[in-house]
Amino acid sequence: MSQLTELSAVKCFGGWQKRFSHASQTLGCDMQFSVYLPPQAKQGQALPVLYWLSGLTCSDENFSSKAGAQRVAAELGIILIIPDTSPRGEGVADAPDGAYDLGLGAGFYVNATQAPWAEHYRMYDYIADELPKLCDANFKLARAAIAGHSMGGHGALIMALRNPERYSSVSAFAPIVNPTECPWGQKALSAYLGDDSSQWQQYDACALLSEAGTNWTMPMLVDQGLADNFLDSQKLSRPLQALCEQRNVPAEFRYHADYDHSYYFIASFIEDHLRFHAQHLR
């Protein structure tokens, strides 16, 4: 297990907003991630944790600086762990045309099998296995929940659907729920996994839920802005809601007039998500 190097620490609502780096064996590069430790962490007891997965173009710092989640996390005694969205560093492949939706900042939380991506782009294994083990070894963690935005909402949903024993609840803001059928997902999945679309299904929340059927019982909350420019073009939220209704899967989908795809939307409703998870984490 690699060691953590503390990069920064800022006092925040009685706790600490910190940033760490470590050498990732899974990704074959150095990685950074952010952690909010609420004031209860200094008392020594294990605390519940919420993993937050960010969207396209983001790093581990967008959520910690823009969402305003620390105040409520401090009140509820929840640790926030915020990983980066892709491998980084010299020698890590990037989109040759500098596109924002492939390569750096766009790992899509999958294990790539195609060159040149396969060497480093194994974000699924990093989020599902390496990062939790690293954090368990360095922080006192109790039960876990997972949440995310856009591409990170996709990541949170597939992590929860494929690993239901690891998380008490899942939530998402404007998630990509059917990547096999939307432009962002098709571009990323074909690049990372190849042209055989049968290999894509393991990273598609709608496909995974179809397979799980009525056996899926994990509490789920999804918020979606109706002024989101990507709502229809990237098929956000609605296909998963339709599937949940068809299969009588309990899940709450909320739609908000005039809200877009930005962190202003996330900041407006992040308190609801933290309180939702707190109910199930305890």
Side-chain angles (χ1 to χ4, degrees):
M1 184 64 63
S2 64
Q3 298 298 310
L4 292 182
T5 299
E6 186 174 299
L7 302 176
S8 63
V10 180
K11 192 74 172 179
C12 184
F13 291 104
W16 289 93
Q17 181 65 52
K18 297 191 174 189
R19 195 171 190 234
F20 298 94
S21 68
H22 73 105
S24 169
Q25 296 179 1
T26 300
L27 303 178
C29 63
D30 289 343
M31 289 294 286
Q32 291 77 44
F33 68 98
S34 294
V35 177
Y36 178 66
L37 297 171
Q40 296 89 338
K42 66 184 179 183
Q43 299 170 10
Q45 75 265 34
L47 295 178
V49 57
L50 176 67
Y51 289 91
W52 172 270
L53 306 186
S54 297
L56 288 168
T57 77
C58 291
S59 72
D60 60 292
E61 295 187 288
N62 294 76
F63 181 78
S64 61
S65 63
K66 295 181 178 181
Q70 293 91 342
R71 176 184 62 82
V72 183
E75 174 195 334
L76 298 173
I78 295 175
I79 294 173
L80 306 176
I81 295 178
I82 310 135
D84 203 347
T85 54
S86 77
R88 308 271 182 177
E90 186 177 351
V92 174
D94 194 11
D97 58 357
Y100 74 94
D101 53 357
L102 186 69
L104 299 183
F108 258 83
Y109 305 102
V110 305
N111 288 337
T113 59
Q114 304 299 302
W117 315 103
E119 182 178 358
H120 297 289
Y121 283 74
R122 301 187 61 81
M123 288 298 294
Y124 179 87
D125 282 351
Y126 178 71
I127 300 299
D129 296 314
E130 185 178 19
L131 184 64
K133 289 177 181 176
L134 181 67
C135 291
D136 282 340
N138 286 274
F139 313 106
K140 292 187 176 182
L141 305 181
R143 297 188 71 190
I146 193 164
H149 169 233
S150 192
M151 178 186 74
H154 144 78
L157 289 166
I158 64 168
M159 291 291 167
L161 281 158
R162 291 179 60 172
N163 305 280
E165 73 285 354
R166 299 188 185 183
Y167 307 106
S168 65
S169 48
V170 60
S171 73
F173 290 82
I176 301 170
V177 297
N178 199 191
T180 61
E181 299 294 336
C182 77
W184 278 342
Q186 290 170 340
K187 179 177 180 178
L189 295 176
S190 62
Y192 296 143
L193 303 175
D195 294 332
D196 181 0
S197 59
S198 67
Q199 298 300 311
W200 304 359
Q201 303 300 313
Q202 60 187 311
Y203 300 113
D204 185 300
C206 285
L208 291 168
L209 186 62
S210 293
E211 183 178 337
T214 55
N215 293 326
W216 176 254
T217 58
M218 185 183 296
M220 180 195 307
L221 171 64
V222 175
D223 274 320
Q224 175 66 58
L226 290 173
D228 189 326
N229 291 336
F230 306 112
L231 174 57
D232 296 320
S233 64
Q234 301 296 340
K235 299 185 178 181
L236 306 180
S237 299
R238 286 172 172 158
L240 187 64
Q241 181 187 19
L243 191 59
C244 287
E245 292 174 351
Q246 175 187 342
R247 295 177 174 268
N248 295 316
V249 173
E252 183 176 6
F253 287 78
R254 309 190 307 182
Y255 292 86
H256 306 275
D258 302 324
Y259 284 93
D260 62 10
H261 200 72
S262 72
Y263 263 86
Y264 294 110
F265 170 50
I266 296 170
S268 298
F269 298 102
I270 190 62
E271 179 170 353
D272 293 353
H273 283 240
L274 287 167
R275 296 193 185 282
F276 163 78
H277 288 296
Q279 294 176 355
H280 304 289
L281 283 166
R282 303 190 190 286

